[in-house]
Amino acid sequence: MESSSAVCFECPPQKSVDLVRPPAKSRRPTRKNVSMDIISRRYGILSKDAGTLLRKNMKMLRQIILQDTTHFTKVWTRHSKSPIAYESGRIYFENYRCCYSSIPSKPQYLYELPKGTKAEKLEDALLCQCPLSESLPKPSDQNPCLLALAANNWLYRFSIKTGEQLQKVYLSPHHKFRYLGWDVSQETFYIKSVQTKRAPLARQTGVDQSTLLYLAVFKVVPLELVSVLEINRKVFGSTVLDVILSQGVLAVSHSSKVVKLYSFENIVQKHMTKKLVLGQQCEWRGVWGTIGEPPFGIPVNISISDDIPVLFEVSCFNNGIQIGGNPWHYIFTPNNKWHQGTHHVCSLQDGSLAKNGIQDMKCCSLESDWIYFHPDDSGRIIHVGPSTVNVLRIKTQECSSQSEVVQEFSITAHRVNNTASKDSVTSSGRIVKRRYHQLDDDPEQETFRVVEYEDELDLLAVVEVTNTEEEGKAHVCLHDNKTGMFKKKVPLVESWDVTYSHELFFDLDTIVHIEQKKNKQFCCHVYKITCRQPD
């Protein structure tokens, strides 16, 4: 269950009146190649605006990457017995204990945290960037850091450059916290505990087991506690399954296939019992302790005793709902068998279905298609199937309040006719012709596996996989994000086994491919751009 990023409510700027007399003859816009741009930058013939300089640099890098003389070459491979993670130029091994930088021409070792016990194992992490708009009291707060959650309920802040421990907070001696997630990226994050299961013996003895899990919410840089919330079945319903926090909205899913959304800000304002500050002394239920230090930890300071208003409620298949678009819309699959395999785009204001709002790939495949709001904050929608990628836009009709979903462009895999014939001969010698249909994600056909967006280059990277001679061959096809026009194809050297999980990251001049192999082994491949002289 995911939610989209923010929607811009600003009106487009009006055109100013040009009082300058227009030239007698229109001039054609001049184009400079990359070499001229680099020479201009060398001599300082560029705007002093940092944003203009950055856009110019990204435009030059895009031109270099898309040139025919530029290739992506595999420069590094590393294996691991534990899962591998990648985030913003950092590759993490051994449960975030060992870190490499992918920014140099070959990944470079940065640091390795000291080995600890099983209880000190890092289970989840988030990369936190420093804010540029404000100065912070501590110099260490101005640098990016890694927020890491250990198995023994300690939350750490590590420097991403040296691995130095900057801060640590003890969460609780009673609740087992395990998962980290962003509420608002780089602003607010939450820590979720494991779920408590109802024991049959406890039900018989009348022991109260209404608590499902706990949420601890923090602001980042500097680290500041917001609140700790208990998700109670008596408050949110006996059928509650799970919760997440996104964009200030608490989304609660139920076993009855219903998703309910609540305002987290409203919950904090009305139900907080006491404001808690990390590092300060506090008296809680007759016990004194320091907030964020053992054995006191952080008490649960939100107590909900009455019903809380529901912002939005919808019945959907697999408890999956996404909110985004411009104007606000949501995507879901209705909870009935007739609509399974389809995705409905509806207005968040009144719940009305958009015109052409039922998106159906009508594909016959082992793996289902997937749909989500475009991460470029344009309000568009990306719908990915085995052989098709559709980029859709939500339009508002002038004569009606109803919105409409229109296709901006489509990317299609290169395929042969998927209808094959196979003849058989009966005992009497009569030939019987039979026809059968292949699956849309048949491994012998070119199939889309990953769609990645590179925001700084404004490119879509689509991974196409084809099995040949019992080996999967993968290519990363680069397309223009605005038009979908094909720009470049990058072959991957290693084989792509579709029976195991894969992750691919396209980050400026770097492609990182993380794959799971047999016997729970993992492998990381790194590609960098290389340029050769034209023939």
Side-chain angles (χ1 to χ4, degrees):
M1 184 163 51
E2 299 178 356
S3 63
S4 174
S5 52
V7 173
C8 179
F9 293 97
E10 297 178 357
C11 297
Q14 297 180 352
K15 294 183 178 179
S16 58
V17 180
D18 189 0
L19 301 179
V20 181
R21 186 174 183 177
K25 184 179 180 180
S26 61
R27 294 180 296 178
R28 296 178 60 184
T30 59
R31 293 184 60 188
K32 294 192 295 184
N33 59 24
V34 175
S35 300
M36 294 300 298
D37 286 331
I38 294 176
I39 293 173
S40 299
R41 185 177 66 176
R42 177 182 178 184
Y43 288 102
I45 311 175
L46 285 174
S47 171
K48 295 182 180 180
D49 180 16
T52 302
L53 179 60
L54 177 61
R55 287 192 296 270
K56 195 77 171 180
N57 290 341
M58 292 302 104
K59 184 178 180 181
M60 286 191 290
L61 180 58
R62 174 184 163 120
Q63 291 174 337
I64 292 172
I65 288 176
L66 297 181
Q67 285 177 350
D68 294 336
T69 55
T70 303
H71 303 276
F72 279 87
T73 305
K74 184 157 74 168
V75 297
W76 193 75
T77 298
R78 183 180 170 90
H79 298 268
S80 174
K81 294 182 179 179
S82 58
I84 305 170
Y86 175 83
E87 182 73 33
S88 299
R90 299 289 189 272
I91 308 174
Y92 296 96
F93 296 88
E94 301 179 22
N95 300 309
Y96 301 96
R97 198 175 63 84
C98 184
C99 178
Y100 284 77
S101 171
S102 65
I103 297 176
S105 57
K106 286 186 178 180
Q108 180 180 347
Y109 170 82
L110 287 181
Y111 65 84
E112 185 171 344
L113 300 176
K115 290 186 178 181
T117 63
K118 186 177 180 181
E120 296 172 329
K121 169 189 172 185
L122 301 182
E123 295 192 328
D124 204 356
L126 293 174
L127 185 64
C128 179
Q129 303 288 351
C130 60
L132 301 177
S133 58
E134 56 182 312
S135 58
L136 300 173
K138 294 182 180 180
S140 61
D141 292 339
Q142 295 291 161
N143 299 320
C145 65
L146 185 73
L147 297 167
L149 177 65
N152 55 5
N153 273 358
W154 279 96
L155 174 68
Y156 294 96
R157 279 204 315 121
F158 295 111
S159 168
I160 66 169
K161 296 181 179 180
T162 63
E164 176 190 359
Q165 179 183 302
L166 304 176
Q167 188 178 2
K168 65 176 183 177
V169 175
Y170 184 66
L171 299 175
S172 173
H174 308 294
H175 321 308
K176 168 62 177 173
F177 287 92
R178 180 170 291 178
Y179 311 102
L180 287 172
W182 286 113
D183 169 24
V184 179
S185 181
Q186 306 302 326
E187 294 183 15
T188 313
F189 71 98
Y190 65 90
I191 313 175
K192 185 164 64 173
S193 73
V194 298
Q195 296 188 9
T196 58
K197 297 182 179 180
R198 290 181 171 180
L201 183 60
R203 300 176 193 172
Q204 297 174 5
T205 57
V207 177
D208 185 13
Q209 285 193 321
S210 58
T211 300
L212 176 70
L213 54 84
Y214 294 87
L215 280 182
V217 185
F218 293 83
K219 292 182 180 179
V220 295
V221 197
L223 193 63
E224 178 183 341
L225 174 68
V226 177
S227 61
V228 179
L229 167 68
E230 176 190 9
I231 304 300
N232 195 296
R233 295 183 178 94
K234 292 181 180 179
V235 174
F236 294 95
S238 60
T239 59
V240 60
L241 281 179
D242 199 4
V243 300
I244 67 166
L245 187 62
S246 179
Q247 303 297 320
V249 175
L250 186 70
V252 182
S253 58
H254 295 259
S255 59
S256 56
K257 305 296 183 182
V258 172
V259 176
K260 297 181 180 181
L261 306 184
Y262 303 87
S263 169
F264 184 70
E265 181 182 3
N266 178 67
I267 293 174
V268 172
Q269 290 178 351
K270 292 186 177 181
H271 302 282
M272 179 181 289
T273 57
K274 189 175 185 179
K275 176 69 176 177
L276 302 177
V277 179
L278 295 176
Q280 289 190 1
Q281 289 286 321
C282 174
E283 186 273 333
W284 193 267
R285 296 178 181 177
V287 179
W288 280 90
T290 303
I291 304 298
E293 294 186 6
F296 196 71
I298 304 176
V300 179
N301 65 336
I302 289 186
S303 177
I304 304 176
S305 57
D306 54 355
D307 293 337
I308 52 179
V310 180
L311 295 178
F312 180 76
E313 179 179 347
V314 64
S315 177
C316 52
F317 181 71
N318 277 344
N319 291 319
I321 178 175
Q322 300 178 66
I323 299 177
N326 187 5
W328 289 101
H329 280 68
Y330 63 96
I331 305 174
F332 77 111
T333 299
N335 185 30
N336 58 65
K337 61 181 181 181
W338 296 281
H339 289 110
Q340 290 185 14
T342 66
H343 306 278
H344 292 226
V345 183
C346 299
S347 170
L348 189 63
Q349 182 178 4
D350 55 11
S352 61
L353 179 69
K355 184 179 179 181
N356 194 32
I358 300 179
Q359 295 296 314
D360 186 2
M361 281 285 185
K362 296 182 180 179
C363 53
C364 179
S365 58
L366 296 177
E367 299 181 9
S368 60
D369 56 320
W370 67 97
I371 191 170
Y372 56 97
F373 285 100
H374 202 306
D376 67 352
D377 292 337
S378 63
R380 296 183 297 174
I381 299 171
I382 297 180
H383 190 187
V384 186
S387 61
T388 306
V389 177
N390 291 329
V391 176
L392 313 169
R393 181 177 293 278
I394 300 173
K395 290 179 57 179
T396 54
Q397 299 179 349
E398 297 180 358
C399 57
S400 173
S401 60
Q402 185 185 25
S403 55
E404 180 182 8
V405 178
V406 296
Q407 179 175 299
E408 279 207 337
F409 62 83
S410 180
I411 302 172
T412 307
H414 302 286
R415 294 207 163 183
V416 296
N417 190 0
N418 64 351
T419 302
S421 61
K422 185 177 181 181
D423 299 341
S424 61
V425 182
T426 64
S427 58
S428 62
R430 183 169 61 90
I431 298 177
V432 178
K433 293 186 176 181
R434 294 184 296 180
R435 299 175 66 86
Y436 66 93
H437 294 277
Q438 289 180 321
L439 292 174
D440 290 320
D441 58 353
D442 188 282
E444 296 183 358
Q445 296 276 11
E446 187 177 81
T447 306
F448 295 146
R449 296 290 175 177
V450 178
V451 176
E452 173 79 358
Y453 172 60
E454 216 304 320
D455 56 342
E456 293 178 290
L457 302 180
D458 204 27
L459 291 173
L460 283 175
V462 181
V463 178
E464 302 175 350
V465 179
T466 306
N467 270 51
T468 57
E469 299 179 356
E470 300 181 356
E471 185 181 29
K473 291 295 184 182
H475 294 81
V476 182
C477 295
L478 305 182
H479 296 261
D480 182 80
N481 180 51
K482 292 184 174 61
T483 63
M485 183 179 299
F486 172 78
K487 294 295 184 180
K488 194 183 193 71
K489 176 175 283 192
V490 179
L492 298 184
V493 178
E494 67 277 2
S495 63
W496 187 294
D497 191 342
V498 296
T499 58
Y500 296 97
S501 63
H502 296 260
E503 289 182 289
L504 186 127
F505 304 92
F506 178 33
D507 194 352
L508 294 177
D509 63 339
T510 307
I511 291 178
V512 178
H513 175 209
I514 299 175
E515 62 172 334
Q516 180 183 355
K517 303 178 78 70
K518 296 179 181 179
N519 302 323
K520 296 183 179 180
Q521 297 288 321
F522 298 87
C523 189
C524 177
H525 311 275
V526 177
Y527 291 76
K528 286 285 186 176
I529 61 170
T530 57
C531 300
R532 62 174 176 82
Q533 293 294 330
D535 297 334

